[in-house]
PDB file of all heavy atoms in Angstrom:
ATOM      1  N   GLY A  92      -9.111   0.484  13.670  1.00  0.00           N
ATOM      2  CA  GLY A  92      -8.487   1.117  14.818  1.00  0.00           C
ATOM      3  C   GLY A  92      -9.433   1.105  15.997  1.00  0.00           C
ATOM      4  O   GLY A  92     -10.368   0.304  16.050  1.00  0.00           O
ATOM      5  N   GLN A  93      -9.184   2.029  16.907  1.00  0.00           N
ATOM      6  CA  GLN A  93     -10.014   2.136  18.098  1.00  0.00           C
ATOM      7  C   GLN A  93     -10.256   3.605  18.416  1.00  0.00           C
ATOM      8  O   GLN A  93      -9.417   4.459  18.116  1.00  0.00           O
ATOM      9  CB  GLN A  93      -9.344   1.439  19.272  1.00  0.00           C
ATOM     10  CG  GLN A  93      -9.134  -0.053  19.005  1.00  0.00           C
ATOM     11  CD  GLN A  93      -8.598  -0.772  20.205  1.00  0.00           C
ATOM     12  OE1 GLN A  93      -9.268  -0.877  21.209  1.00  0.00           O
ATOM     13  NE2 GLN A  93      -7.373  -1.257  20.095  1.00  0.00           N
ATOM     14  N   VAL A  94     -11.409   3.858  19.019  1.00  0.00           N
ATOM     15  CA  VAL A  94     -11.773   5.203  19.445  1.00  0.00           C
ATOM     16  C   VAL A  94     -11.879   5.193  20.959  1.00  0.00           C
ATOM     17  O   VAL A  94     -12.401   4.242  21.548  1.00  0.00           O
ATOM     18  CB  VAL A  94     -13.123   5.632  18.829  1.00  0.00           C
ATOM     19  CG1 VAL A  94     -13.570   6.968  19.361  1.00  0.00           C
ATOM     20  CG2 VAL A  94     -13.030   5.669  17.317  1.00  0.00           C
ATOM     21  N   GLU A  95     -11.374   6.242  21.561  1.00  0.00           N
ATOM     22  CA  GLU A  95     -11.452   6.389  23.013  1.00  0.00           C
ATOM     23  C   GLU A  95     -12.215   7.672  23.320  1.00  0.00           C
ATOM     24  O   GLU A  95     -11.881   8.739  22.794  1.00  0.00           O
ATOM     25  CB  GLU A  95     -10.043   6.459  23.607  1.00  0.00           C
ATOM     26  CG  GLU A  95     -10.013   6.580  25.103  1.00  0.00           C
ATOM     27  CD  GLU A  95      -8.592   6.560  25.644  1.00  0.00           C
ATOM     28  OE1 GLU A  95      -7.635   6.752  24.860  1.00  0.00           O
ATOM     29  OE2 GLU A  95      -8.441   6.363  26.854  1.00  0.00           O
ATOM     30  N   PHE A  96     -13.263   7.563  24.123  1.00  0.00           N
ATOM     31  CA  PHE A  96     -14.048   8.729  24.522  1.00  0.00           C
ATOM     32  C   PHE A  96     -13.570   9.220  25.883  1.00  0.00           C
ATOM     33  O   PHE A  96     -13.255   8.412  26.765  1.00  0.00           O
ATOM     34  CB  PHE A  96     -15.537   8.385  24.580  1.00  0.00           C
ATOM     35  CG  PHE A  96     -16.120   8.110  23.230  1.00  0.00           C
ATOM     36  CD1 PHE A  96     -16.207   6.807  22.752  1.00  0.00           C
ATOM     37  CD2 PHE A  96     -16.559   9.143  22.421  1.00  0.00           C
ATOM     38  CE1 PHE A  96     -16.736   6.546  21.495  1.00  0.00           C
ATOM     39  CE2 PHE A  96     -17.082   8.899  21.168  1.00  0.00           C
ATOM     40  CZ  PHE A  96     -17.178   7.591  20.699  1.00  0.00           C
ATOM     41  N   ASP A  97     -13.529  10.537  26.045  1.00  0.00           N
ATOM     42  CA  ASP A  97     -13.043  11.084  27.314  1.00  0.00           C
ATOM     43  C   ASP A  97     -13.959  10.713  28.481  1.00  0.00           C
ATOM     44  O   ASP A  97     -13.543  10.739  29.627  1.00  0.00           O
ATOM     45  CB  ASP A  97     -12.833  12.599  27.232  1.00  0.00           C
ATOM     46  CG  ASP A  97     -14.115  13.385  27.054  1.00  0.00           C
ATOM     47  OD1 ASP A  97     -15.170  12.798  26.740  1.00  0.00           O
ATOM     48  OD2 ASP A  97     -14.063  14.624  27.229  1.00  0.00           O
ATOM     49  N   SER A  98     -15.200  10.335  28.167  1.00  0.00           N
ATOM     50  CA  SER A  98     -16.130   9.937  29.225  1.00  0.00           C
ATOM     51  C   SER A  98     -15.816   8.538  29.776  1.00  0.00           C
ATOM     52  O   SER A  98     -16.336   8.166  30.829  1.00  0.00           O
ATOM     53  CB  SER A  98     -17.569   9.971  28.696  1.00  0.00           C
ATOM     54  OG  SER A  98     -17.701   9.096  27.589  1.00  0.00           O
ATOM     55  N   ALA A  99     -14.994   7.783  29.057  1.00  0.00           N
ATOM     56  CA  ALA A  99     -14.611   6.440  29.497  1.00  0.00           C
ATOM     57  C   ALA A  99     -13.132   6.211  29.185  1.00  0.00           C
ATOM     58  O   ALA A  99     -12.785   5.409  28.317  1.00  0.00           O
ATOM     59  CB  ALA A  99     -15.470   5.388  28.804  1.00  0.00           C
ATOM     60  N   PRO A 100     -12.230   6.936  29.875  1.00  0.00           N
ATOM     61  CA  PRO A 100     -10.803   6.796  29.594  1.00  0.00           C
ATOM     62  C   PRO A 100     -10.334   5.350  29.724  1.00  0.00           C
ATOM     63  O   PRO A 100     -10.725   4.649  30.648  1.00  0.00           O
ATOM     64  CB  PRO A 100     -10.129   7.673  30.659  1.00  0.00           C
ATOM     65  CG  PRO A 100     -11.207   8.484  31.274  1.00  0.00           C
ATOM     66  CD  PRO A 100     -12.509   7.815  30.985  1.00  0.00           C
ATOM     67  N   GLY A 101      -9.526   4.937  28.764  1.00  0.00           N
ATOM     68  CA  GLY A 101      -8.978   3.588  28.785  1.00  0.00           C
ATOM     69  C   GLY A 101      -9.867   2.555  28.132  1.00  0.00           C
ATOM     70  O   GLY A 101      -9.416   1.460  27.810  1.00  0.00           O
ATOM     71  N   LYS A 102     -11.155   2.871  27.927  1.00  0.00           N
ATOM     72  CA  LYS A 102     -12.067   1.940  27.256  1.00  0.00           C
ATOM     73  C   LYS A 102     -12.036   2.256  25.766  1.00  0.00           C
ATOM     74  O   LYS A 102     -12.393   3.354  25.350  1.00  0.00           O
ATOM     75  CB  LYS A 102     -13.491   2.072  27.792  1.00  0.00           C
ATOM     76  CG  LYS A 102     -14.420   1.079  27.161  1.00  0.00           C
ATOM     77  CD  LYS A 102     -15.831   1.193  27.706  1.00  0.00           C
ATOM     78  CE  LYS A 102     -16.679   0.138  27.000  1.00  0.00           C
ATOM     79  NZ  LYS A 102     -18.069   0.503  26.974  1.00  0.00           N
ATOM     80  N   LEU A 103     -11.583   1.300  24.984  1.00  0.00           N
ATOM     81  CA  LEU A 103     -11.427   1.510  23.551  1.00  0.00           C
ATOM     82  C   LEU A 103     -12.541   0.807  22.786  1.00  0.00           C
ATOM     83  O   LEU A 103     -12.860  -0.345  23.059  1.00  0.00           O
ATOM     84  CB  LEU A 103     -10.067   1.006  23.091  1.00  0.00           C
ATOM     85  CG  LEU A 103      -8.860   1.666  23.768  1.00  0.00           C
ATOM     86  CD1 LEU A 103      -7.567   0.989  23.346  1.00  0.00           C
ATOM     87  CD2 LEU A 103      -8.812   3.140  23.458  1.00  0.00           C
ATOM     88  N   ALA A 104     -13.132   1.533  21.832  1.00  0.00           N
ATOM     89  CA  ALA A 104     -14.193   0.991  20.988  1.00  0.00           C
ATOM     90  C   ALA A 104     -13.619   0.733  19.600  1.00  0.00           C
ATOM     91  O   ALA A 104     -13.212   1.675  18.919  1.00  0.00           O
ATOM     92  CB  ALA A 104     -15.356   1.972  20.916  1.00  0.00           C
ATOM     93  N   PRO A 105     -13.575  -0.531  19.157  1.00  0.00           N
ATOM     94  CA  PRO A 105     -13.037  -0.837  17.826  1.00  0.00           C
ATOM     95  C   PRO A 105     -13.880  -0.200  16.720  1.00  0.00           C
ATOM     96  O   PRO A 105     -15.105  -0.115  16.836  1.00  0.00           O
ATOM     97  CB  PRO A 105     -13.116  -2.360  17.746  1.00  0.00           C
ATOM     98  CG  PRO A 105     -13.243  -2.826  19.152  1.00  0.00           C
ATOM     99  CD  PRO A 105     -13.959  -1.736  19.880  1.00  0.00           C
ATOM    100  N   TYR A 106     -13.210   0.237  15.659  1.00  0.00           N
ATOM    101  CA  TYR A 106     -13.915   0.745  14.489  1.00  0.00           C
ATOM    102  C   TYR A 106     -13.269   0.187  13.222  1.00  0.00           C
ATOM    103  O   TYR A 106     -12.122  -0.254  13.228  1.00  0.00           O
ATOM    104  CB  TYR A 106     -13.919   2.284  14.437  1.00  0.00           C
ATOM    105  CG  TYR A 106     -12.586   2.906  14.060  1.00  0.00           C
ATOM    106  CD1 TYR A 106     -12.205   3.056  12.724  1.00  0.00           C
ATOM    107  CD2 TYR A 106     -11.702   3.348  15.037  1.00  0.00           C
ATOM    108  CE1 TYR A 106     -10.979   3.627  12.377  1.00  0.00           C
ATOM    109  CE2 TYR A 106     -10.481   3.915  14.697  1.00  0.00           C
ATOM    110  CZ  TYR A 106     -10.129   4.046  13.368  1.00  0.00           C
ATOM    111  OH  TYR A 106      -8.925   4.601  13.020  1.00  0.00           O
ATOM    112  N   GLU A 107     -14.052   0.205  12.157  1.00  0.00           N
ATOM    113  CA  GLU A 107     -13.568  -0.152  10.826  1.00  0.00           C
ATOM    114  C   GLU A 107     -14.271   0.772   9.843  1.00  0.00           C
ATOM    115  O   GLU A 107     -15.496   0.910   9.873  1.00  0.00           O
ATOM    116  CB  GLU A 107     -13.890  -1.606  10.500  1.00  0.00           C
ATOM    117  CG  GLU A 107     -13.318  -2.061   9.186  1.00  0.00           C
ATOM    118  CD  GLU A 107     -13.429  -3.568   8.980  1.00  0.00           C
ATOM    119  OE1 GLU A 107     -13.680  -4.293   9.959  1.00  0.00           O
ATOM    120  OE2 GLU A 107     -13.256  -4.005   7.841  1.00  0.00           O
ATOM    121  N   GLN A 108     -13.483   1.433   9.007  1.00  0.00           N
ATOM    122  CA  GLN A 108     -14.038   2.363   8.040  1.00  0.00           C
ATOM    123  C   GLN A 108     -13.546   2.031   6.637  1.00  0.00           C
ATOM    124  O   GLN A 108     -12.373   1.721   6.442  1.00  0.00           O
ATOM    125  CB  GLN A 108     -13.645   3.806   8.368  1.00  0.00           C
ATOM    126  CG  GLN A 108     -14.284   4.322   9.645  1.00  0.00           C
ATOM    127  CD  GLN A 108     -13.798   5.701  10.010  1.00  0.00           C
ATOM    128  OE1 GLN A 108     -12.609   5.985   9.944  1.00  0.00           O
ATOM    129  NE2 GLN A 108     -14.716   6.567  10.417  1.00  0.00           N
ATOM    130  N   LEU A 109     -14.482   2.129   5.693  1.00  0.00           N
ATOM    131  CA  LEU A 109     -14.162   1.994   4.276  1.00  0.00           C
ATOM    132  C   LEU A 109     -14.222   3.390   3.673  1.00  0.00           C
ATOM    133  O   LEU A 109     -15.213   4.109   3.857  1.00  0.00           O
ATOM    134  CB  LEU A 109     -15.174   1.078   3.584  1.00  0.00           C
ATOM    135  CG  LEU A 109     -15.109   1.017   2.054  1.00  0.00           C
ATOM    136  CD1 LEU A 109     -13.797   0.390   1.588  1.00  0.00           C
ATOM    137  CD2 LEU A 109     -16.303   0.252   1.510  1.00  0.00           C
ATOM    138  N   PHE A 110     -13.167   3.767   2.995  1.00  0.00           N
ATOM    139  CA  PHE A 110     -13.081   5.071   2.336  1.00  0.00           C
ATOM    140  C   PHE A 110     -13.144   4.866   0.834  1.00  0.00           C
ATOM    141  O   PHE A 110     -12.551   3.928   0.306  1.00  0.00           O
ATOM    142  CB  PHE A 110     -11.759   5.764   2.697  1.00  0.00           C
ATOM    143  CG  PHE A 110     -11.625   6.060   4.154  1.00  0.00           C
ATOM    144  CD1 PHE A 110     -11.139   5.100   5.026  1.00  0.00           C
ATOM    145  CD2 PHE A 110     -11.973   7.302   4.662  1.00  0.00           C
ATOM    146  CE1 PHE A 110     -11.005   5.362   6.379  1.00  0.00           C
ATOM    147  CE2 PHE A 110     -11.842   7.578   6.013  1.00  0.00           C
ATOM    148  CZ  PHE A 110     -11.364   6.611   6.869  1.00  0.00           C
ATOM    149  N   LYS A 111     -13.857   5.744   0.152  1.00  0.00           N
ATOM    150  CA  LYS A 111     -13.992   5.684  -1.301  1.00  0.00           C
ATOM    151  C   LYS A 111     -13.590   7.034  -1.874  1.00  0.00           C
ATOM    152  O   LYS A 111     -13.992   8.082  -1.346  1.00  0.00           O
ATOM    153  CB  LYS A 111     -15.451   5.368  -1.656  1.00  0.00           C
ATOM    154  CG  LYS A 111     -15.727   5.286  -3.131  1.00  0.00           C
ATOM    155  CD  LYS A 111     -17.202   4.949  -3.376  1.00  0.00           C
ATOM    156  CE  LYS A 111     -17.475   4.866  -4.862  1.00  0.00           C
ATOM    157  NZ  LYS A 111     -18.883   4.541  -5.134  1.00  0.00           N
ATOM    158  N   LYS A 112     -12.823   6.998  -2.957  1.00  0.00           N
ATOM    159  CA  LYS A 112     -12.450   8.248  -3.616  1.00  0.00           C
ATOM    160  C   LYS A 112     -13.654   8.811  -4.352  1.00  0.00           C
ATOM    161  O   LYS A 112     -14.387   8.090  -5.017  1.00  0.00           O
ATOM    162  CB  LYS A 112     -11.316   8.022  -4.627  1.00  0.00           C
ATOM    163  CG  LYS A 112      -9.958   8.174  -4.049  1.00  0.00           C
ATOM    164  CD  LYS A 112      -8.908   8.206  -5.147  1.00  0.00           C
ATOM    165  CE  LYS A 112      -7.522   8.248  -4.538  1.00  0.00           C
ATOM    166  NZ  LYS A 112      -6.500   8.129  -5.576  1.00  0.00           N
TER     167      LYS A 112
END
Side-chain angles (χ1 to χ4, degrees):
Q93 299 186 66
V94 175
E95 181 177 16
F96 292 95
D97 67 347
S98 59
K102 183 179 180 205
L103 301 174
Y106 74 84
E107 185 170 345
Q108 292 175 316
L109 170 66
F110 297 85
K111 180 179 180 180
K112 270 191 185 174

